[in-house]
Amino acid sequence: MTFSDAAATPSAPDSALAPPVAKTVPVERTHHGDTFVDNYEWLREKENPEVVAHLNAEQAYTDAVTAGQEQLRQDIFSEIKSRTQETDLSVPSRKDGWWYYARMVEGQAYGIQCRVAAGSDGTLADWTPPLVEPGVDVPGEQILLDGNVEAEGQPFFALGGAAVTRDGKLYAYAVDNAGDELFTVRIKDLSTGELLPDIIENAFYGVTFSPDGTTLFYMVADDSWRPYQVKTHVLGTPVDTDEVLYQEDDVAMWTGFGLSADRRHLMISIGCSEFSETRLLDFAAPEKGLQLLIPRSAGILYDAEPFLLDGVEKVLLTHDRDAVNSMISLVDAAEFSKPVAEQQWATVVPHDDSVRVNGATVTATHMVVSLRKDTIERIQVTVLEGLGTAGQGAAVEPVFDEELYTAAMGGSEFESPVIRLVYSSDFTPPRVYDYVLPVGDDGGELLLRKETPVLGGYRSEDYIAEREWATAADGTQVPLSVLRRADLPRDGANAGVVYGYGSYEVSMDPGFGVPRLSLLDRGVVFVIAHVRGGGEMGRHWYEEGKKLTKKNTFSDFVAATDWLAQSGWVDPARIAAMGGSAGGLLMGAVANLAPEKYAAVVAQVPFVDALTTILDPELPLSALEWEEWGNPITDPEVYKYMKEYTPYENVRAVAYPKIAAVTSFNDTRVLYVEPAKWVQELRAKSTGSAPIVMKIEMDGGHGGASGRYEGWKTRAWDYAFLADAIGATKLR
């Protein structure tokens, strides 16, 4: 296929189509002596009928401009659907006396949560999950929740957490029917199938029961959608009498909770990206209240795992005290009553400049560590006997046969002799393993429980994933994951897509994606740019792409684009870019920096008006962003630096490429107003004729519309927009 063949079919907008033009209502925003005139801030008025009408007009314009892509969208959707085994089940996971799993049924959009009773003879076989097969009834199966029934008649459906009492009799679950990430919690009596009268409205993510099953713990967010309260609900009592177990008043701190691995403690975690603190509630002595471990004033970023070792209360700490990449220490619980400087910490996993320690947990017999080395996330296990002493056993790591992969914990019972691992790579569909924990000289054993089936004749050997390196403007080597078909000719005529994120120390790890195959099969070279601000290369990689070094994220992405343009794989005129959320800010920044390098840009739920948002701590999640981007309210240097790169303020009179801003009306993380304003500013200033559109899901949240089929349609829309722009509409 030649480029002329591919380019013959891309749709072009009807020149008579006029995009919606929002009225200009100048609003001055003044900080640190600088005044910015915002013409479109009025679009923030979500309840204003004029705003809603404008957004609907934007969608109508988008539908008209992209009408020629409809067949391509349908084709990509059909390809995703045909490769997916629609009737499928997850591998059962054991909790107490039950095996829990989820079913998906062909034609149904949501999962069905199920369980069957487990054995109790205490042998390894007792921890072997029952064989469940698609479309085959499981004897004794009990349905806990059918998402399809719950979603019936609702514009949106998502679960925000679920929990079962230790005796297996009660099931609590949280449902969002708006996409605003506020949930209604209900409790089901599993012996009768009836719902209890207890109903909790406007909860945030996360629910769990006390060991005796009489109390439910849940989170509440404040008016800016910041989780700040942990509350307790005693079953059978009025919800309006629920007590606040903990409240966090610092608007820049995030709060969450969970159970310790041995389920003896409720752990409340409070923190930001630079320091944290943990408070424990001992279920055996709740009258003692919450016990603080290391105060935030110590400036240490840490995670804690309390457990008993030889009958002594210990805490396993993953921390960055004198360890930028973090390390692991073992501490007697009694030490936390002393000032931090006087505490005795025993090193378990020392600091290593080349290894990022992500976290650690325990089973009854082993410590399990998640770490990142050579960009790859992996798992290591060490026996607890001798932990923190000179006699500590050596760490053992499961061995896999690919160079680029991701291996992560998938959950396990504390008493289990196995841990659940989830493995994936760019072209290996997700695999679920049980790893038999090593004992003595036994190095452990990987037991494959399932590999996600991919239909339609998929063969992993038809594709190649390679590690390449781009040279950034300052000479830094930026890792790239380059994905392509194995039979693609290196003739400089192919199309390319560069994808990136680069914030919050989030890593774009190797992972399989069925939708992406539709681009690759159309001759696209897909590059994932592991830019600074992410976590792929350790903590310093993150530090070099945040606050006053944030511009590295953008220049790294441009360097990745230059690498692709010069690689011999693609035609430089056929490169597109894509990213979402903070990666959407990246899209806006590179569109301003180097618009000529891209034929198209898809910015998904893009954080493109970041400075306006972060300057107003009353807006959702704004104050939480100060530790990532800096605080422009109090720091004029941060304000000046952000003003130089935030996309909305830096739109200029250049020829922008085709741009699609994809958003949702009820998104609480990146408000719809950001892309709505950005699109207006782009159209007003662009000197080119390329269409700039906004696709808005009026019933969706940060992740778009709910349900797997709507999710596939969304991805098909994004990919069709890109493929149309870069002339990659036909299968090779």
Side-chain angles (χ1 to χ4, degrees):
M1 181 183 70
T2 66
F3 176 53
S4 58
D5 295 330
T9 54
S11 61
D14 187 335
S15 60
L17 284 175
V21 178
K23 66 183 181 182
T24 58
V25 181
V27 174
E28 291 189 353
R29 187 193 72 201
T30 301
H31 288 271
H32 306 296
D34 175 76
T35 297
F36 173 72
V37 178
D38 191 337
N39 288 322
Y40 305 109
E41 178 62 13
W42 71 274
L43 289 171
R44 192 178 299 277
E45 301 168 13
K46 189 175 182 180
E47 305 302 323
N48 184 341
E50 191 175 353
V51 171
V52 175
H54 172 76
L55 297 177
N56 285 325
E58 286 281 17
Q59 185 59 52
Y61 174 69
T62 298
D63 290 342
V65 168
T66 64
Q69 299 166 20
E70 178 58 28
Q71 185 59 54
L72 180 56
R73 290 195 289 265
Q74 291 181 14
D75 290 346
I76 294 175
F77 174 84
S78 296
E79 290 160 18
I80 297 170
K81 192 170 185 290
S82 67
R83 286 184 168 118
T84 303
Q85 183 167 291
E86 294 186 62
T87 297
D88 205 359
L89 300 94
S90 64
V91 178
S93 296
R94 180 159 179 172
K95 185 66 66 177
D96 296 314
W98 298 85
W99 289 101
Y100 292 86
Y101 57 97
R103 283 186 177 274
M104 296 296 294
V105 177
E106 184 174 358
Q108 296 185 355
Y110 301 97
I112 304 169
Q113 310 302 317
C114 309
R115 71 177 184 180
V116 293
S120 57
D121 62 13
T123 65
L124 180 60
D126 198 35
W127 295 95
T128 301
L131 180 63
V132 291
E133 300 179 83
V136 178
D137 291 338
V138 179
E141 178 180 272
Q142 181 179 14
I143 294 178
L144 306 178
L145 184 75
D146 187 335
N148 303 285
V149 174
E150 290 287 329
E152 191 171 347
Q154 300 291 345
F156 185 90
F157 171 77
L159 280 175
V164 182
T165 52
R166 195 74 61 86
D167 60 12
K169 294 181 179 179
L170 298 178
Y171 177 73
Y173 61 98
V175 170
D176 172 13
N177 288 133
D180 59 4
E181 299 183 272
L182 294 178
F183 301 86
T184 297
V185 179
R186 293 182 172 86
I187 303 169
K188 184 177 183 180
D189 184 331
L190 294 177
S191 61
T192 65
E194 300 296 322
L195 293 175
L196 302 187
D198 312 58
I199 299 177
I200 301 168
E201 301 284 0
N202 296 319
F204 199 64
Y205 290 98
V207 291
T208 195
F209 283 105
S210 61
D212 62 7
T214 63
T215 301
L216 185 73
F217 299 93
Y218 63 97
M219 286 295 312
V220 174
D222 63 14
D223 292 339
S224 65
W225 269 271
R226 176 184 66 95
Y228 81 119
Q229 285 183 338
V230 180
K231 299 188 76 172
T232 61
H233 173 69
V234 178
L235 273 58
T237 65
V239 172
D240 58 13
T241 65
D242 289 357
E243 295 185 356
V244 176
L245 177 63
Y246 179 80
Q247 177 169 313
E248 177 53 53
D249 294 322
D250 187 335
V251 296
M253 300 291 275
W254 184 282
T255 305
F257 72 85
L259 295 177
S260 59
D262 59 11
R263 295 188 286 175
R264 295 170 51 248
H265 292 86
L266 182 78
M267 304 188 298
I268 298 178
S269 301
I270 309 102
C272 61
S273 64
E274 299 187 345
F275 54 88
S276 60
E277 67 181 26
T278 298
R279 297 169 186 261
L280 303 180
L281 179 68
D282 187 345
F283 287 130
E287 69 281 358
K288 293 181 179 178
L290 293 172
Q291 303 295 304
L292 174 63
L293 296 184
I294 304 168
R296 68 189 72 180
S297 58
I300 299 172
L301 186 65
Y302 71 97
D303 291 318
E305 184 67 73
F307 69 106
L308 288 173
L309 182 61
D310 297 328
V312 178
E313 194 76 48
K314 301 277 189 177
V315 176
L316 198 64
L317 288 179
T318 303
H319 65 90
D320 68 350
R321 184 185 185 188
D322 301 321
V324 65
N325 265 342
S326 292
M327 59 183 291
I328 299 176
S329 298
L330 187 65
V331 186
D332 284 356
E335 291 291 308
F336 294 111
S337 62
K338 305 174 185 177
V340 174
E342 299 176 12
Q343 295 172 11
Q344 299 296 313
W345 297 9
T347 297
V348 172
V349 177
H351 179 256
D352 187 329
D353 284 332
S354 64
V355 178
R356 176 70 166 110
V357 178
N358 295 325
T361 187
V362 294
T363 71
T365 56
H366 289 73
M367 174 183 69
V368 185
V369 176
S370 171
L371 51 82
R372 183 178 302 279
K373 184 177 182 182
D374 300 327
T375 78
I376 300 302
E377 184 177 0
R378 55 192 76 201
I379 296 294
Q380 291 183 349
V381 298
T382 307
V383 295
L384 289 180
E385 184 179 356
L387 196 67
T389 70
Q392 177 178 321
V396 177
E397 182 176 320
V399 177
F400 301 99
D401 57 4
E402 293 184 274
E403 178 187 3
L404 303 179
Y405 66 89
T406 302
M409 278 284 287
S412 62
E413 272 277 61
F414 181 71
E415 298 292 342
S416 174
V418 301
I419 57 172
R420 178 66 51 84
L421 299 179
V422 179
Y423 174 94
S424 184
S425 75
D426 292 304
F427 297 119
T428 299
R431 293 174 178 169
V432 176
Y433 289 98
D434 278 341
Y435 181 63
V436 181
L437 293 168
V439 177
D441 295 331
D442 179 7
E445 181 183 4
L446 279 170
L447 305 174
L448 178 63
R449 299 305 189 192
K450 179 177 182 176
E451 179 175 310
T452 301
V454 182
L455 309 181
Y458 171 76
R459 302 190 318 151
S460 62
E461 58 266 33
D462 290 339
Y463 305 88
I464 291 176
E466 295 175 313
R467 170 71 77 234
E468 299 286 356
W469 300 84
T471 302
D474 62 0
T476 299
Q477 294 296 292
V478 179
L480 312 175
S481 294
V482 181
L483 316 181
R484 58 178 173 84
R485 282 193 60 92
D487 58 0
L488 195 70
R490 194 167 188 169
D491 58 7
N494 302 300
V497 170
V498 187
Y499 175 85
Y501 185 76
S503 292
Y504 306 105
E505 204 179 355
V506 173
S507 298
M508 298 293 101
D509 290 322
F512 187 78
V514 163
R516 192 169 57 209
L517 297 176
S518 291
L519 283 182
L520 299 176
D521 286 350
R522 286 171 170 81
V524 172
V525 178
F526 195 97
V527 175
I528 302 169
H530 303 288
V531 295
R532 281 174 283 185
E536 288 90 342
M537 299 283 284
R539 180 73 179 187
H540 75 90
W541 198 249
Y542 168 52
E543 299 283 358
E544 291 173 11
K546 65 181 292 194
K547 291 189 175 179
L548 295 178
T549 59
K550 188 63 199 172
K551 292 178 185 177
N552 287 334
T553 303
F554 317 134
S555 56
D556 283 0
F557 190 90
V558 172
T561 305
D562 290 340
W563 178 91
L564 180 59
Q566 299 161 12
S567 67
W569 285 110
V570 306
D571 179 345
R574 300 181 65 196
I575 296 176
M578 182 169 63
S581 197
L585 184 153
L586 170 60
M587 293 300 99
V590 299
N592 288 334
L593 277 174
E596 73 284 355
K597 295 182 186 292
Y598 304 98
V601 173
V602 169
Q604 304 153 313
V605 291
F607 190 34
V608 284
D609 193 19
L611 190 52
T612 300
T613 296
I614 298 174
L615 282 167
D616 186 353
E618 298 302 317
L619 291 177
L621 305 179
S622 291
L624 293 169
E625 301 290 351
W626 294 339
E627 296 301 333
E628 180 72 19
W629 314 91
N631 187 343
I633 300 173
T634 60
D635 190 332
E637 186 180 9
V638 169
Y639 176 88
K640 179 178 182 295
Y641 189 80
M642 291 190 69
K643 181 80 180 294
E644 292 171 351
Y645 72 71
T646 44
Y648 182 53
E649 287 90 339
N650 288 284
V651 173
R652 54 198 178 98
V654 295
Y656 281 91
K658 293 180 180 180
I659 293 178
V662 182
T663 187
S664 295
F665 190 53
N666 292 324
D667 191 344
T668 56
R669 295 177 182 262
V670 179
L671 301 185
Y672 73 88
V673 67
E674 298 204 22
K677 291 166 60 175
W678 181 51
V679 163
Q680 289 297 307
E681 190 72 3
L682 284 166
R683 291 194 192 125
K685 291 186 176 177
S686 179
T687 61
S689 59
I692 296 167
V693 301
M694 184 173 79
K695 177 180 180 289
I696 183 165
E697 173 57 60
M698 296 302 286
D699 291 318
H702 193 59
S706 65
R708 59 174 171 170
Y709 298 110
E710 291 303 314
W712 296 347
K713 290 177 183 177
T714 297
R715 186 60 66 244
W717 194 98
D718 296 345
Y719 283 177
F721 185 90
L722 292 176
D724 180 78
I726 57 180
T729 60
K730 299 182 186 302
L731 291 169
R732 291 182 54 82

